[in-house]
Amino acid sequence: MIPRIYIPGDSGALALGAEKVAKAIRAELAERGIEAKIVRNGSRGAYFLEPMVEVATAEGRVAYGPVKPSDVKSLFDSGFLKGGHHKRWLGAPDKIPFLAKQTRLTFARCGINDPLSLDAYKSLGGLKGLQNAVAMAPLDIVKQVTESGLRGRGGAGFPTGIKWKTVLDTAGERKYIVCNADEGDSATFADRMIMEGDPFVLIEGMAIAGIATGATKGFVYIRSEYPHAVAVMNKAVEVARKAGVLGVNVLGSPNAFDMEIRVGAGAYVCGEETSLLNSLEGKRGVVRAKPPLPAIQGLFGKPTVINNVISLASVPIIMDKGAAFYKDFGMGRSRGTIPIQIAGNVKHGGLFETAFGLTLGEIVDDIGGGTATGRPVKAVQVGGPLGAYFPRALFDTPFDYEEFAKRDGLIGHAGITVFDDTADMLKQARFAMEFCAIESCGKCTPCRIGSTRGVETIDRLAAGIEPEKNLALVTDLCNTMKFGSLCALGGFTPYPVMSSITHFPEDFKPAPARVAAE
Ligand SMILES: Cc1cc2nc3c(=O)[nH]c(=O)nc-3n(C[C@H](O)[C@H](O)[C@H](O)COP(=O)(O)O)c2cc1C
Ligand code: SF4
């Protein structure tokens, strides 16, 4: 049998040198006159081990990582094509602790095979959810998604089934499914991983959404910084169309659904759903006032489902295994699994899919392995640039929408950024205001003006000018932004600012004391 070697083509692995490793392996195969099949898979998400090369052996797959081009000769010498021992040997990929501890439902197939092989997708259970859906009445599909407890993974955590029901119940000569793949939050890469590593699961989820709501056309809005994801998704749509997964008769049924990929122009606010719709329509990415909800008047004024990549990619398993199966995972009102993206100053950075309910401490210390620098963890920002900074004192918080809200935090798109004790939280608070000022769409005053005044006030605090007065002013400003902004960009910027002030007051001491303390 010809040996089979798996080398990730995912952009995270490529950034870590996967292409150079592939080149070195090809050269070594040629020099040794060995015939082998190289498969470019996605990434399984253990980025601290990328580039992770795998070989298929009689006993199953064996992984090696992180592989450098300079390791390649010795890998061949060690007989790695048969799973031989080497300093980069990791054993069976699903036994690597970071991967073995996960509960992979949405990411069950991600990174295992060639992402564009529909046969490989089907061999691992793909399309079963869609097959079930085409045989069901739309309302029954909506009911199943509602009963599963699935909530939007884009940030707001709104129940997906309820959104779909509104679109189903709204009359329209045309309806749309829009997938939000703008993924602008810091520390997040789950959407990209799915699009590059298992694109058919997203296509399947969108087709199910279309059949459930009566929408016949879908768009995936992908940020311009994701060229690999755009390329894979475009090819996957072509493959799906040729195979009859998309088109006038989805899987041979009377349901029509087709889709297109669109590329954004690179504004954070275009991840906000109404701004995204404007951008898709070719207009400037400015937030629209609600109502009307996009579910009633969305893209081109028609009823539209807008869902995040992970929300849609979680639907196939729900339609395959049933609502009760999915709902069985999780805690409280946070049901199912969540792909936590661990990044920043952390030893084991990567994607960790698990049922809701792990504590923040377990995620950072046990799974993330603490900081990469080896220094104590000072703060963890959860939920992207608009998320709160949590100190170690809050590490007992379970990963759950309501539990985070109780402690003035948010889960957002489940990205977490770890900081060690060298972080200056006044600088982080300033950064939050500056980010808001740069990314503000400008439609409402609290955000447009407030963020700039926020930067100036924090600068005065840093300079030790009237500290008490300026601290009160920042707090007042945050209240105005929180309650007076039209969307969550201005409305949530107070979270990183106020959490920094509340949990790390020592960093907001007047300048002379700060200097003396350093
Ligand atoms: C400033 C801002 C940026 C956002 N960026 C994203 C994003 O990149 N991806 C995303 O799915 N949702 C983003 N959202 C949330 C969307 O507005 C919307 O809630 C989401 O796409 C709905 O899908 P879901 O219900 O599946 O989460 C953002 C919201 C705001 C206010
Ligand atoms: S809060 Fe900011 S981004 Fe949102 S509508 Fe207002 S100005 Fe635009």
Side-chain angles (χ1 to χ4, degrees), residues 57-313:
T57 73
E59 285 76 44
R61 302 253 288 249
V62 176
Y64 297 83
V67 176
K68 297 196 183 77
S70 57
D71 294 323
V72 170
K73 260 191 202 315
S74 61
L75 274 170
F76 275 84
D77 291 343
S78 314
F80 99 116
L81 291 180
K82 291 205 160 63
H85 268 270
H86 183 275
K87 63 179 176 185
R88 305 283 180 217
W89 186 89
L90 298 166
D94 46 9
K95 299 264 161 44
I96 296 169
F98 186 87
L99 297 170
K101 286 184 198 159
Q102 302 194 30
T103 302
R104 289 219 160 177
L105 303 186
T106 309
F107 283 76
R109 280 168 298 258
C110 190
I112 295 179
N113 285 314
D114 172 0
L116 291 169
S117 165
L118 194 56
D119 286 339
Y121 181 68
K122 286 196 264 187
S123 74
L124 293 176
L127 292 186
K128 282 192 185 160
L130 183 57
Q131 264 152 8
N132 290 340
V134 294
M136 288 166 72
L139 186 59
D140 291 333
I141 305 174
V142 171
K143 272 190 190 153
Q144 188 148 321
V145 173
T146 309
E147 279 164 20
S148 75
L150 178 67
R151 291 164 73 177
R153 302 289 190 243
F158 188 80
T160 306
I162 293 178
K163 194 182 276 188
W164 289 18
K165 177 80 164 58
T166 310
V167 176
L168 173 65
D169 289 346
T170 307
E173 82 260 15
R174 188 126 219 221
K175 299 181 189 179
Y176 296 102
I177 306 297
V178 173
C179 171
N180 189 341
D182 199 52
E183 198 163 55
D185 280 1
S186 43
T188 61
F189 45 86
D191 299 352
R192 182 191 60 68
M193 256 184 72
I194 279 287
M195 290 188 287
E196 293 183 8
D198 194 17
F200 294 122
V201 77
L202 176 56
I203 293 172
E204 187 180 348
M206 287 183 70
I208 295 170
I211 293 165
T213 57
T216 49
K217 178 89 193 197
F219 291 95
V220 185
Y221 183 92
I222 308 180
R223 63 182 309 178
S224 61
E225 294 90 338
Y226 282 178
H228 290 90
V230 172
V232 178
M233 282 305 302
N234 268 317
K235 283 188 198 144
V237 166
E238 255 177 57
V239 173
R241 214 177 269 143
K242 273 198 192 125
V245 175
L246 295 173
V248 283
N249 300 109
V250 171
L251 294 185
S253 73
N255 304 288
F257 188 77
D258 209 339
M259 54 189 276
E260 282 177 43
I261 309 303
R262 290 290 156 89
V263 183
Y268 180 72
V269 78
C270 284
E272 191 283 331
E273 57 188 17
T274 61
S275 198
L276 185 155
L277 290 177
N278 273 338
S279 177
L280 259 184
E281 290 179 9
K283 299 174 185 147
R284 207 179 123 212
V286 180
V287 173
R288 297 178 186 171
K290 287 189 271 195
L293 290 171
I296 311 268
Q297 271 180 44
L299 188 63
F300 303 114
K302 301 286 183 285
T304 302
V305 166
I306 303 187
N307 272 137
N308 172 255
V309 172
I310 304 301
S311 316
L312 290 162

Side-chain angles (χ1 to χ4, degrees), residues 269 287 436 439-444 447-448 485-491:
V269 78
V287 173
C436 182
E439 298 293 341
S440 170
C441 84
K443 183 144 179 164
C444 66
C447 168
R448 186 183 69 246
S485 295
L486 188 59
C487 87
L489 179 46

